[in-house]
């Protein structure tokens, strides 16, 4: 709007100044427009806030809603502010500014940029999705990529397409905390942050009356003891880098010792191994070793016993690495892809991590 083109004739005022002429209509109009603009901004802020507060997850059996008490909790606010600032720092080059975590991440568009920046990945950017079905399809693709890079045990994942798309705050926070830990947020997150969730159980044949219960979800733990920046640690040198660079003649000795250890363990399931690069690339022997060491049974439906396809091998190795972390073994400096690709150094790192924990059991 060009204010110079607006013709505002002088208008007599009323009241005490009746009979006097307003000789400054343009500044008055500017003031009015400024007030309207500020009111509009305030309304947008309130809408964003209420949108976050109304974020809930609803299923056929129950509805979950974050309590107003948690939304006003200073620790929750501090966590959200820190995550928001971190995301905006990461996305500076993309000229993306996140103001509301739930509102801005729910359709997967901004989240895809975040994963690309953090993981150095490439996710196909389609036009902004309008329909719910298209948004969820995009979000599914992005979350699949995210879960793949995080390489977490599926049972420990506390977010889903529906939860993120419904702007359910606990799930959004769980996802961002996992990313912050994995890729290394500069400042450690606040410890022991919890969020109170009100669950309303719907009436059913078994329970004719609806009921309500309150649950507390833990978003962060003892952050001073958490392993941060695994992605950056991948670039740090370790004992195997030194071994391969400075004492390559000793590599065979390490191979033989780890091969003997692995063979003894696998013999309990009538399995053998004779080639470190080949015999662990499918992930099957690694899964069996963890099963033996921890004395539990890994259901056959959870992995491929005789994998041929690369994706099946990758799934097996990822499962084995997750089982190791569940057993309290610090994640070795390797990726699932490097094991499948028969990288000797990576395979030795994994076997040495298992050996270190269980050598006294064999």
């Amino acid at each position: 709007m060009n204010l110079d083109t607006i013709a505002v004739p002088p208008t007599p005022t009323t009241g005490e100044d009746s009979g006097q002429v307003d000789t400054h209509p343009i500044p008055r109009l500017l003031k009015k427009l400024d007030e309207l603009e500020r009111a509009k901004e305030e309304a947008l802020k309130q809408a964003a806030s209420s949108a976050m507060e109304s974020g809930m997850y609803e299923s056929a059996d129950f509805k979950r809603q974050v309590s107003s008490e948690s939304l006003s909790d200073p620790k929750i606010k501090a966590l959200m502010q820190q995550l928001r600032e971190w995301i905006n720092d990461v996305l500076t080059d993309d000229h993306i500014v996140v103001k509301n975590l739930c509102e801005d991440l729910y359709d997967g568009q901004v989240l895809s940029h975040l994963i690309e920046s953090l993981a150095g990945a490439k996710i196909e950017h389609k036009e902004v999705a309008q329909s719910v079905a298209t948004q969820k399809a995009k979000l599914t693709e992005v979350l699949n990529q995210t879960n793949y890079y995080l390489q977490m045990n599926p049972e420990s994942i506390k977010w889903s397409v529906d939860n993120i798309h419904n702007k359910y705050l606990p799930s959004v926070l769980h996802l961002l905390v996992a990313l912050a830990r994995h890729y290394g947020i500069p400042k450690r997150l606040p410890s022991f942050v919890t969020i109170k969730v009100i669950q309303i159980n719907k009436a059913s044949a078994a329970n004719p009356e609806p009921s309500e219960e309150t649950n507390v979800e833990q978003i962060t733990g003892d952050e001073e003891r958490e392993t941060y920046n695994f992605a950056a640690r991948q670039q740090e040198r370790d004992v195997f880098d030194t071994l391969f660079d400075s004492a390559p003649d000793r590599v065979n000795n390490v191979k033989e010792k780890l091969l003997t250890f692995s063979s003894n363990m696998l013999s309990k399931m009538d399995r053998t191994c004779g080639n470190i690069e080949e015999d662990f690339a499918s992930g099957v022997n690694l899964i069996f070793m963890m099963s033996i060491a921890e004395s539990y049974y890994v259901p056959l439906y959870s992995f491929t016993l005789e994998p041929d396809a690369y994706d099946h091998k990758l799934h097996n190795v990822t499962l084995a690495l997750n089982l190791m972390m569940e057993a309290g073994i610090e994640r070795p400096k390797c990726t699932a892809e490097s094991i499948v690709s028969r990288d000797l150094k990576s395979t030795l790192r994994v076997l040495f991590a298992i050996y270190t924990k269980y050598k006294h059991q064999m």
Side-chain angles (χ1 to χ4, degrees):
M1 178 183 294
N2 186 350
L3 294 179
D4 294 334
T5 64
I6 300 177
V8 183
T11 305
T13 59
T14 58
E16 293 181 1
D17 295 330
S18 180
Q20 296 181 358
V21 176
D22 186 351
T23 57
H24 302 287
I26 298 301
R28 288 178 180 272
L29 181 59
L30 284 170
K31 183 178 180 182
K32 184 65 175 176
L33 289 173
D34 184 57
E35 290 174 353
L36 290 172
E37 187 63 27
R38 278 184 291 175
K40 179 181 176 182
E41 290 178 359
E42 186 62 30
L44 287 172
K45 289 180 182 178
Q46 292 178 358
S49 176
S50 63
M52 181 191 73
E53 294 178 13
S54 65
M56 64 178 65
Y57 175 71
E58 185 169 3
S59 71
D61 301 319
F62 59 81
K63 178 169 64 176
R64 288 176 181 158
Q65 171 77 52
V66 177
S67 71
S68 56
E69 176 186 347
S70 285
L71 290 170
S72 59
D73 184 344
K75 293 186 74 172
I76 290 288
K77 289 184 175 181
L79 175 62
M80 293 173 64
Q81 178 66 20
Q82 188 176 345
L83 290 170
R84 200 160 39 235
E85 291 174 354
W86 173 62
I87 293 171
N88 288 334
D89 285 344
V90 172
L91 297 179
T92 297
D93 292 342
D94 292 319
H95 307 291
I96 294 173
V97 177
V98 170
K99 296 180 179 180
N100 183 300
L101 297 178
C102 295
E103 281 291 317
D104 295 342
L105 301 179
Y106 84 101
D107 63 355
Q109 200 70 23
V110 173
L111 189 57
S112 65
H113 284 277
L114 180 62
I115 299 305
E116 284 190 341
S117 297
L118 292 173
K122 182 61 182 175
I123 300 176
E124 182 181 356
H125 288 281
K126 300 175 182 176
E127 295 182 3
V128 177
Q130 299 295 331
S131 70
V132 171
T134 309
Q135 288 175 351
K136 285 190 173 183
K138 170 71 176 180
L139 183 58
T140 298
E141 176 189 352
V142 175
L143 287 181
N144 284 342
Q145 286 276 74
T146 303
N147 296 341
Y148 170 74
Y149 288 117
L150 290 175
Q151 294 190 353
M152 292 177 62
N153 186 330
E155 294 182 358
S156 64
I157 294 175
K158 299 178 181 179
W159 54 85
S160 67
V161 171
D162 286 338
N163 282 342
I164 301 298
H165 192 266
N166 285 338
K167 307 166 191 173
Y168 184 54
L169 181 60
S171 293
V172 174
L173 292 179
H174 281 306
L175 171 61
L176 294 178
V177 166
L179 287 170
R181 287 172 177 165
H182 187 79
Y183 289 105
I185 192 168
K187 180 183 175 183
R188 285 186 177 266
L189 301 172
S191 295
F192 305 115
V193 175
T194 60
I195 193 165
K196 189 178 294 184
V197 177
I198 300 170
Q199 179 168 309
I200 301 172
N201 300 307
K202 300 178 182 180
S204 63
N207 299 292
E209 296 294 328
S211 61
E212 184 177 301
E213 59 185 273
T214 300
N215 300 307
V216 177
E217 285 195 39
Q218 185 162 330
I219 305 299
T220 66
D222 186 350
E223 296 305 303
E224 294 303 317
R225 301 184 63 180
E226 284 287 345
T227 300
Y228 271 56
N229 209 355
F230 169 75
R233 286 197 300 109
Q234 292 289 79
Q235 305 303 318
E236 298 176 358
R237 289 181 60 81
D238 66 357
V239 64
F240 283 96
D241 291 316
T242 304
L243 177 66
F244 273 69
D245 292 343
S246 305
D249 54 309
R250 297 181 56 191
V251 171
N252 283 334
N253 293 335
V254 175
K255 282 177 62 176
E256 290 176 9
K257 186 167 186 176
L258 291 176
L259 195 59
T260 300
F261 167 79
S262 303
S263 297
N264 290 340
M265 183 179 282
L266 289 170
S267 66
K268 296 182 179 182
M269 296 189 70
D270 295 325
R271 295 182 69 87
T272 59
C273 59
N275 185 304
I276 281 188
E277 295 98 318
E278 293 290 335
D279 293 343
F280 295 95
S282 70
V284 175
N285 280 337
L286 293 175
I287 292 172
F288 282 142
M289 287 177 71
M290 289 308 302
S291 173
I292 294 166
E294 290 293 320
S295 302
Y296 55 60
Y297 173 73
V298 180
L300 292 177
Y301 62 76
S302 63
F303 66 100
T304 305
L305 187 58
E306 296 181 357
D308 291 321
Y310 178 86
D311 288 346
H312 293 164
K313 295 177 182 179
L314 190 63
H315 170 82
N316 286 355
V317 174
T318 300
L319 173 59
L321 293 175
N322 287 334
L323 292 176
M324 291 170 63
M325 288 189 290
E326 286 290 310
I329 300 176
E330 185 175 349
R331 175 73 177 271
K333 181 186 166 183
C334 70
T335 62
E337 293 93 335
S338 63
I339 303 297
V340 176
S341 299
R342 301 177 178 83
D343 179 70
L344 176 59
K345 194 186 296 185
S346 295
T347 306
L348 290 176
R349 286 184 175 119
V350 172
L351 294 176
F352 182 73
I354 297 174
Y355 167 81
T356 301
K357 184 172 179 65
Y358 302 110
K359 59 185 176 183
H360 298 301
Q361 295 182 16
M362 297 298 107

